[in-house]
Amino acid sequence: MHTVFYDTKKQMVSLQGSRSTYAIKLYNSNLPMHMYWGPKIGSIKDPGTFFSHERAFAIRVKDRDTSFFIEEMHFEYGFSETGDFRIPAFSIRDGRNYPVTGPFETVFRIHERKPEIQGLPAARMKKDEKLESLEIVMSDTLSGLEISLHYTMFPEDDALVRNVSFHNRGDSAIRIEKAASMSLDILNRGFELLYLPGVWAGERRVMRTPLVPGSISFGSTRGISSHQFNPACALLEADTNEFRGSAYGFNLIYSGNFLTEFELNQDQNVRINMGIHPDSFEWQLEPEQRFDTPEAVLVYSDGGINGMSGQFHRFIQERIVPPGFKHRERPVLFNNWEATYFNFDEKVLKELTDGVSDLGIELFVLDDGWFEGRNSDETSLGDWYADRKKLPGGLRSFGEYVEKKGMLFGLWIEPEMISRRSELAQLHPDWHISNPGRPLSEGRNQLVLDLSRTEVCDFLIDTVDKLLSSALIQYVKWDMNRYITGFAALHLPVSRQKEVYHRYILGLYRIMKTITEKYPEVLFEGCAGGGGRFDLGILFFMPQFWTSDNTDAVSRIRIQYGTSIFYPPITMGAHVSIVPNHQVGRCTPLKMRACTAMSGNLGYELDLRRQKVEELEEIRQQIQFYKKYRRLIQFGRFIRLQSPFDTNEAAWMFLEKDGSDFIFFWFRLHAEAEKAVSKIRLSYLVPDKIYREDSFPLEYTGSELMHGGLPLPQVEGEYASLMFVFHGN
Ligand code: GLA
């Protein structure tokens, strides 16, 4: 299928999705200009001369050429130090330490396949799939640097992936100080930025703010993508809502330090840059070497925020997560963390196992505290073998017990970390990240292993491999519980010191790739103190992530709602926990906790030995219900209906892809007096289908539900929730 169309006469390329177009023009043979991104248009006739005039204070890029004004033009990769005074996409020094400035001699090349990206996860191509890809090659004759902008359109989801490679074809080393994965200039249309700021236990809050003259930027310098800012964001036209209007979504397939910048200038131009955070980055590129940036994903939707989410959700399922998990149902799990913390032994674990197997749980996850000497968070990270005091028979024997009870066995690990009090630290006292001569900075009483070192990564691959082959482990919760600080690289030369944060991520990805490819059947769930590394980079290797350490239903409704804007519910681990809740102290009904957790991959994380018989019966029924409908929940279309950030209520639904059955969830966060009768309008139903809910019973046409709305019964009390299953005929 053709997706890239090149008009050689006009020097214009368009990338065509099924409902969107992205167009680029090569101006003056050296300026790749952004021409268009939005609803699908066929051929583009615009000659791009709109910009060719001179203005006061215009900087002439070349000699006395006054035919264009660079600061006003819309580019595909923002220049630095050329008279384009917006935030540059790149900053590079040549062998003399002089700035490498454009414009560069530029050509378009079209390839049959998306190019490989060295060492980084990237959108997956199917076997033997042909999908055209555009390369814009900008060559700097002076330094020999070649900058290639790569573009591939995945037409089914209107997802355009972009990245940049830098190839040193000169004969002296080049220093890259900033290298955005994508950069783009578009004319402001009253844009508002939607992004997801947060905090530990309060990840991914929905924030929408107008762009104002100047710049807005967010990112991470914590070594991981972070609880504070997720890389995903969107530009919305001012009247765009969940169901209508233009949404331009962005995400980055990367798990380390990143920076996203939006700058609105005097010409109503919006520049967008997204990529590795330049504050903690530099790369020395020797002759003949190539550096590839992470890949960015751009999605255009004219169907509002839900439309954009749907495209991202499908794209993640089809092109990001490991292919073996694309269609695989996720088991209902039990996790012992909030039930026992570090305080357990085999007897306790067996009691828990006995209790949960009877309820229909399919996977028993043994969380932190199982390995040698780990009775608190002050010790033992690195010593990944069973504590015989707690597990006299070792992991294998306990795993067999779990299996005998008819469940899979899962294990928590935190391989990237090392405790000062550990055998590993005795054996390799110099393997952790440090800054010699300065105090060691600890977080949660632990240090981080230096994954920029090959031998440390090799050791971890070997250790995790041995662990997985030693017992019957079919699920792994891969945790990462601190930010990275004070990172000096003892093994790297002076000129490469600022490469360490990116090298850490390259090391991490090599480990994850090797392990997950060797154990393709094992279900991996990423975790970083909850959702501190919930990003496309990790999802490429691990198809789900522990969404947040906060298991309080009210908090979770917001967290899952925010997360769902860019990530499908099947990527979210969600557990029912005890009340009063351990993170916020709130008591919510079991029903609300279950409705919330069922809206992701359902798990239970509480001491079921202390639950009343009626509660256990309720849990048994919840699990039965979830199993019956989990295909719909995990693989159906997720639609947000009402935002808990704007109102005291939240509502969403999961719809079969063919528009037939759906499950509707509604929550009220706090009790209200004199509550008016309310109706919620549903979406994406088949207008003339009859939808029936048997338990109430209710019956409506699709049109009625979409235009008139679903009337909600009056529900009394604090933390109310409703769940309806409709079957369409
Ligand atoms: C992190 C995780 C928790 C739990 C603990 C164990 O905080 O997010 O779910 O696994 O570590 O120490």
Side-chain angles (χ1 to χ4, degrees):
M1 178 202 246
H2 283 305
T3 49
V4 183
F5 297 84
Y6 183 17
D7 180 337
T8 43
K9 252 220 227 80
K10 287 208 177 96
Q11 287 293 292
M12 177 97 79
V13 168
S14 69
L15 293 117
Q16 301 286 355
S18 53
R19 295 170 57 89
S20 71
T21 299
Y22 189 104
I24 303 161
K25 181 183 170 66
L26 184 55
Y27 186 79
N28 215 19
S29 76
N30 60 3
L31 296 166
M33 281 177 57
H34 179 74
M35 295 300 287
Y36 177 80
W37 184 28
K40 186 158 180 142
I41 46 180
S43 60
I44 295 175
K45 305 276 184 219
D46 186 340
T49 47
F50 166 59
F51 296 99
S52 47
H53 65 282
E54 184 166 5
R55 288 189 7 181
F57 278 84
I59 298 285
R60 290 168 196 151
V61 177
K62 201 173 157 229
D63 305 327
R64 305 199 66 82
D65 186 351
T66 57
S67 65
F68 60 90
F69 177 47
I70 194 163
E71 192 175 357
E72 193 181 44
M73 297 177 80
H74 293 181
F75 290 123
E76 281 294 318
Y77 207 56
F79 293 104
S80 63
E81 308 207 34
T82 47
D84 172 355
F85 294 103
R86 291 159 292 186
I87 308 173
F90 64 95
S91 166
I92 293 171
R93 300 264 158 181
D94 67 16
R96 303 160 300 176
N97 205 18
Y98 295 172
V100 174
T101 60
F104 310 111
E105 272 315 303
T106 303
V107 291
F108 290 147
R109 281 189 203 139
I110 295 165
H111 305 284
E112 275 197 349
R113 279 183 71 80
K114 190 164 93 76
E116 294 288 325
I117 300 185
Q118 295 171 352
L120 291 165
R124 294 175 195 273
M125 299 286 287
K126 294 177 184 142
K127 202 167 163 268
D128 300 327
E129 183 181 30
K130 282 194 178 156
L131 202 51
E132 289 169 339
S133 131
L134 167 69
E135 179 183 8
I136 303 179
V137 191
M138 305 193 285
S139 307
D140 180 36
T141 38
L142 203 57
S143 67
L145 177 66
E146 215 174 77
I147 304 175
S148 288
L149 315 180
H150 301 282
Y151 301 75
T152 309
M153 175 68 88
F154 289 85
E156 64 278 15
D157 299 316
D158 289 286
L160 177 69
V161 302
R162 291 186 55 177
N163 93 311
V164 181
S165 54
F166 298 84
H167 205 139
N168 185 352
R169 299 199 185 274
D171 42 26
S172 47
I174 284 170
R175 192 151 46 90
I176 307 173
E177 297 171 337
K178 177 177 185 181
S181 292
M182 65 130 295
S183 169
L184 166 68
D185 294 335
I186 43 180
L187 210 53
N188 189 19
R189 281 188 223 114
F191 283 133
E192 294 178 357
L193 168 64
L194 183 155
Y195 66 126
L196 303 175
V199 66
W200 173 80
E203 293 91 337
R204 294 173 293 282
R205 294 172 178 150
V206 180
M207 177 85 187
R208 186 169 170 165
T209 176
L211 295 183
V212 286
S215 62
I216 300 180
S217 69
F218 62 88
S220 167
T221 51
R222 295 164 190 265
I224 55 177
S225 48
S226 88
H227 301 89
Q228 284 69 14
F229 295 102
N230 193 270
C233 62
L235 278 186
L236 309 173
E237 289 185 8
D239 56 357
T240 296
N241 64 22
E242 280 284 10
F243 304 98
R244 274 179 304 280
S246 282
Y248 300 78
F250 305 89
N251 207 343
L252 192 64
I253 310 178
Y254 193 59
S255 310
N257 294 338
F258 74 95
L259 178 68
T260 302
E261 299 167 304
F262 292 86
E263 183 183 26
L264 176 62
N265 79 350
Q266 76 271 15
D267 298 312
Q268 288 302 307
N269 171 64
V270 181
R271 168 156 299 169
I272 309 149
N273 293 328
M274 183 179 227
I276 296 177
H277 202 307
D279 280 6
S280 48
F281 171 78
E282 243 176 48
W283 202 267
Q284 181 161 315
L285 201 63
E286 298 294 340
E288 287 318 311
Q289 282 182 351
R290 195 179 96 196
F291 177 80
D292 292 341
T293 70
E295 205 165 65
V297 185
L298 288 70
V299 158
Y300 171 76
S301 174
D302 60 3
I305 308 170
N306 266 312
M308 176 191 76
S309 302
Q311 288 166 234
F312 271 119
H313 292 183
R314 274 196 314 267
F315 180 80
I316 290 171
Q317 278 292 89
E318 287 295 319
R319 304 288 182 174
I320 299 290
V321 301
F325 286 89
K326 240 202 271 191
H327 307 294
R328 207 162 113 182
E329 287 184 18
R330 306 300 158 77
V332 179
L333 67 79
F334 171 81
N335 178 305
N336 74 309
W337 178 242
E338 286 199 18
T340 63
Y341 295 105
F342 295 107
N343 190 16
F344 61 83
D345 57 19
E346 198 165 75
K347 182 170 166 284
V348 170
L349 292 180
K350 284 187 171 167
E351 278 170 21
L352 289 169
T353 312
D354 295 348
V356 302
S357 63
D358 189 40
L359 296 173
I361 301 265
E362 298 159 303
L363 163 67
F364 186 101
V365 181
L366 178 53
D367 209 279
D368 194 357
W370 59 267
F371 46 100
E372 181 60 29
R374 178 78 167 173
N375 295 314
S376 75
D377 62 14
E378 295 196 359
T379 165
S380 304
L381 293 166
D383 302 344
W384 301 109
Y385 57 92
D387 187 330
R388 293 283 165 164
K389 286 193 207 90
K390 288 181 179 169
L391 293 165
L395 281 178
R396 176 165 278 274
S397 130
F398 179 62
E400 279 166 1
Y401 187 82
V402 171
E403 263 206 359
K404 262 196 225 118
K405 293 280 166 184
M407 291 182 289
L408 306 171
F409 177 48
L411 197 67
W412 177 96
I413 50 174
E414 197 182 357
E416 296 156 69
M417 297 295 149
I418 180 165
S419 302
R420 281 213 248 194
R421 273 169 51 202
S422 67
E423 285 167 21
L424 186 63
Q426 303 290 316
L427 214 59
H428 296 289
D430 63 340
W431 270 13
H432 59 264
I433 288 172
S434 68
N435 189 0
R438 304 192 189 274
L440 267 183
S441 55
E442 287 196 343
R444 208 197 185 202
N445 309 305
Q446 61 200 49
L447 304 171
V448 189
L449 285 170
D450 186 348
L451 266 51
S452 72
R453 286 168 69 170
T454 313
E455 69 277 27
V456 177
C457 295
D458 290 341
F459 165 83
L460 285 182
I461 291 172
D462 192 48
T463 308
V464 177
D465 183 11
K466 282 193 181 121
L467 183 62
L468 293 187
S469 59
S470 73
L472 309 156
I473 298 161
Q474 276 140 332
Y475 160 103
V476 170
K477 180 174 169 191
W478 185 298
D479 212 339
M480 197 291 182
N481 277 318
R482 65 156 286 185
Y483 305 129
I484 302 176
T485 48
F487 199 164
L490 314 189
H491 62 297
L492 290 178
V494 174
S495 57
R496 292 191 176 274
Q497 283 301 310
K498 282 186 86 178
E499 296 180 7
V500 283
Y501 278 93
H502 183 57
R503 284 181 181 273
Y504 180 98
I505 296 294
L506 292 175
L508 175 69
Y509 287 154
R510 180 164 75 84
I511 299 169
M512 288 188 167
K513 179 176 191 305
T514 316
I515 295 292
T516 54
E517 280 178 1
K518 178 147 189 211
Y519 295 93
E521 293 303 316
V522 173
L523 171 59
F524 285 85
E525 175 159 342
C527 179
R533 203 162 57 181
F534 199 130
D535 57 59
L536 297 180
I538 300 297
L539 288 177
F540 181 87
F541 302 103
M542 310 191 167
Q544 60 189 58
F545 210 92
W546 179 226
T547 317
S548 175
D549 274 349
N550 191 340
T551 53
D552 163 57
V554 173
S555 315
R556 266 302 184 118
I557 287 166
R558 294 202 179 97
I559 294 167
Q560 291 173 204
Y561 188 96
T563 307
S564 80
I565 294 182
F566 297 97
Y567 303 93
I570 193 171
T571 60
M572 299 183 213
H575 300 174
V576 172
S577 64
I578 199 91
V579 289
N581 173 266
H582 288 187
Q583 292 78 39
V584 303
R586 193 178 351 237
C587 290
T588 51
L590 184 51
K591 181 176 176 200
M592 184 194 230
R593 281 176 276 152
C595 285
T596 312
M598 273 185 203
S599 298
N601 296 332
L602 177 64
Y604 288 80
E605 187 169 335
L606 69 173
D607 192 344
L608 290 162
R609 295 170 304 176
R610 289 185 198 172
Q611 300 299 295
K612 297 194 196 104
V613 180
E614 316 84 82
E615 285 170 332
L616 289 177
E617 188 44 40
E618 202 177 329
I619 289 175
R620 185 174 289 115
Q621 282 171 19
Q622 290 164 355
I623 294 174
Q624 251 172 32
F625 173 87
Y626 185 75
K627 285 182 181 168
K628 186 164 170 199
Y629 291 106
R630 81 174 132 197
R631 272 218 82 78
L632 169 52
I633 291 176
Q634 295 180 355
F635 301 98
R637 174 163 193 190
F638 178 77
I639 302 149
R640 289 175 305 276
L641 299 167
Q642 194 162 346
S643 168
F645 292 94
D646 301 339
T647 64
N648 182 30
E649 294 173 15
W652 55 61
M653 63 191 260
F654 295 87
L655 177 65
E656 251 346 318
K657 291 210 170 99
D658 62 2
S660 55
D661 302 353
F662 69 90
I663 306 185
F664 167 88
F665 288 95
W666 172 88
F667 306 90
R668 190 173 57 226
L669 308 186
H670 304 290
E672 269 177 276
E674 299 293 327
K675 181 81 185 66
V677 172
S678 66
K679 281 186 170 188
I680 294 192
R681 284 196 281 177
L682 311 186
S683 251
Y684 306 103
L685 300 177
V686 183
D688 50 9
K689 252 195 201 317
I690 309 288
Y691 291 93
R692 283 196 189 84
E693 168 25 283
D694 294 335
S695 51
F696 273 82
L698 303 166
E699 186 177 296
Y700 306 94
T701 65
S703 301
E704 252 179 299
L705 290 171
M706 290 194 287
H707 304 300
L710 173 68
L712 295 179
Q714 287 287 349
V715 205
E716 296 295 315
E718 193 82 307
Y719 314 127
S721 56
L722 290 168
M723 181 182 68
F724 298 131
V725 183
F726 280 90
H727 299 283
N729 273 305

